[in-house]
Amino acid sequence: MDDIVLEIKNLSKSFAKNKVLDGINLTVKKGTVLGLMGENGAGKSTMMKCLFGIYAKDEGSISLLGKPINFKNPKEALENGVAMVHQELNQCLDRTVTDNLFLGRYPTRAGIVDEAKMLKEANSLFASLSMNVNPKTVMRTMSVSQRQMVEIAKAVSYDAKIIVLDEPTSSLTEREVSKLFSIVDDLRNKGVSFVYISHKMDEIFQICNEVAVLRDGKMILSKPVESTDMNELISAMVGRSLDKRFPDVDNVPGEDFLEVRGLTTKYEPVLEDISFTVKKGEIFGLYGLVGAGRSELLESLFGIRTIASGEIIMNGKKLHFKNSKDAMDYSFALVTEERKLNGMFGKDTIQFNTTITNLDSYKTFGVLSNRKMQEAANREIKTMHTKCVSADELISSLSGGNQQKVIIGKWLERQPQVFLLDEPTRGIDVGAKYEIYQLIINMAKEGKTIIVVSSEMPEILGITNRIAVMSNHRLAGIVNTKETDQEALLRLSAKYL
């Protein structure tokens, strides 16, 4: 079968007594896009890590273009035409785009790095992909979406035969998603194959030829996209029919609780004259295009960004913060967008990550009690339905969605009054998303004030009471969720462009 690029047969992998992959069979054909779906913890990442040589498989075989492969590391995989663009980008942020493209394979001339050749090849690469990227730009100054495009270009530069895209659109605007899909289409027509990992159903039907669903380490479904539908995929993923995408938003907001008056920040990108009021027990959405200033607003409310002018008033009292510690003391909590970068301690355990923000609560006679910390970690594992072996497991060994559950549980231990959530369901599967939505609604019903940022319009419309729309670092308007629609949100998001 000459058209098969990648073939996985009877692949199994266990960690201690936990069988993460159980007899997986999968084929990817030349010039096709295979959508890979499954709840967090289903085994998607483990399967890809076995392919890339990060994990050693216990049983089974993997073949590339008919030849058995057993890569020792990702570098070897990349050099043999198998590339992966991770959801959590691993890049050298203080180096240029060109440096990141050629890392580990710098061209030399007379023993000296040939920067002119690198620049020429980088410009040629971006031109071939119709990407408007300056190769001399330092990565740290670029948005997440721009950095992701660079990573895709890097995969293409290795003449990859198969490219794995892990939640590639989680930080992209609609225009950037369209651009990504046109790049995928172009490469597919040239014979490149893709494994497209996503939790977004509409994307699977839009871009994929085939779809495969993993559940609890087993292959549940594998078929052409045209012969399935959303209900079948959801049922395969969660093992049951999911009648509603969003729970009932049945919280009843109370009196005005948090007021922001004329907030303007000091450093670029500058937020200008932001004013709004959020009620006690309200779920207040923040929508806008990527770069509109949503995350910067949450960071200002959490003491991370310096406020040049304006006031933050909670329950009638003017707040003064110098840093995030002050914000925490005022009972604020923040779940950041990039959990790997600034939301967790990747080299530590679930217990450590659950208890780190609230250590004073776990002391007995001034000494940290391991028993109390274990109880806290186990409490949040149970509350959040986190899939793990134990609280002693490294958080880095969990799937992205389960990492997010640990992070939210960490803040729940502090019992905050104001919960700031930046893309809380980014990279989380449909079943886990529903649990997070229900948790947000329950927190609001308990009287917590919730401000949630989301790039997904169905989500922001599905779980909020009101929505503030940001446009070019300014507040474009506030609407009642039940009285608005996607068109109105898009109109407001373009107000100051």
Side-chain angles (χ1 to χ4, degrees), residues 427-445:
I428 293 180
D429 62 75
V430 64
K433 276 186 176 182
Y434 195 92
E435 293 177 3
I436 299 292
Y437 298 149
Q438 192 64 67
L439 177 71
I440 290 170
I441 293 165
N442 288 343
M443 288 194 297
K445 288 163 80 170

Side-chain angles (χ1 to χ4, degrees), residues 62 69 102 134 141 153 198-199 255 283 396 404 433 482:
I62 303 174
I69 56 172
F102 289 93
N134 182 351
T141 65
S198 179
H199 294 116
E255 67 280 5
I283 305 170
S396 58
Q404 189 77 317
K433 276 186 176 182
K482 290 181 179 178

Side-chain angles (χ1 to χ4, degrees), residues 6 28 34 36 44-45 47-49 51-52 81-87 151-152 155 160-168 192-198:
L6 178 70
V28 182
L34 171 82
L36 183 60
K44 305 186 300 294
S45 294
M47 181 165 67
M48 291 301 104
K49 286 177 179 177
L51 170 63
F52 280 87
V82 181
M84 183 169 184
V85 179
H86 298 269
Q87 180 189 355
E151 204 68 10
I152 291 167
K161 298 170 183 66
I162 187 161
I163 300 174
V164 179
L165 300 177
D166 187 4
E167 295 286 348
V192 178
S193 304
F194 290 85
V195 175
Y196 191 93
I197 301 173
S198 179

